[in-house]
Amino acid sequence: MHKLGRKRAAVAVVSTAAALLLGAAPAMASTTSGPVIVDNRDPRCATAGNLCVFETEWFTGRAALYEGVDTGCVTAPFGVLANINMTDKPVTFYKNADCTGASVTEPAGNLHSWESRGPMFSFVS
């Protein structure tokens, strides 16, 4: 192989390695995927393993989808007044953005709204 061919091969190997590392980096940081802002009728909200949160108690307005919710504190993109919890664990929603304050726990495989409690701004699974 001549000099130019070796350089191209080396660049290709380095580029591929960098792409693989960069592609894996977000997955290592957290197993939670989201939020993805979705239509409030998105069928993924009813898919096993997912959590959808809604801006209103009527499951309308803005909606955010979380896939593969982990156990760390997650700050919601807006005040949450309803959820569809299709995970296999209960999810606790908190009044403050740092998983503190008044809370409400929703069981696995359940949907619920809580207008009387006001919006929640974070959650833990």
Side-chain angles (χ1 to χ4, degrees):
M1 185 179 286
H2 62 304
K3 234 180 187 175
L4 188 54
R6 284 188 205 143
K7 283 185 182 180
R8 285 184 183 161
V11 168
V13 168
V14 170
S15 296
T16 302
L20 289 172
L21 288 173
L22 290 174
M28 289 185 284
S30 172
T31 58
T32 298
S33 173
V36 175
I37 303 300
V38 296
D39 179 87
N40 56 30
R41 293 187 178 127
D42 192 302
R44 293 175 292 177
C45 289
T47 300
N50 292 347
L51 170 70
C52 275
V53 295
F54 299 85
E55 182 176 39
T56 75
E57 70 275 13
W58 303 109
F59 300 87
T60 58
R62 291 182 290 177
L65 168 69
Y66 293 86
E67 297 177 293
V69 179
D70 64 17
T71 57
C73 180
V74 177
T75 301
F78 47 79
V80 175
L81 286 172
N83 80 96
I84 299 175
N85 178 11
M86 296 304 293
T87 70
D88 61 353
K89 298 178 273 189
V91 175
T92 302
F93 292 88
Y94 293 90
K95 205 64 161 147
N96 300 321
D98 61 352
C99 294
T100 62
S103 66
V104 60
T105 299
E106 299 299 336
N110 192 37
L111 60 100
H112 195 83
S113 66
W114 53 82
E115 178 185 19
S116 63
R117 296 180 185 260
M120 302 291 180
F121 294 93
S122 62
F123 61 88
V124 173
S125 175

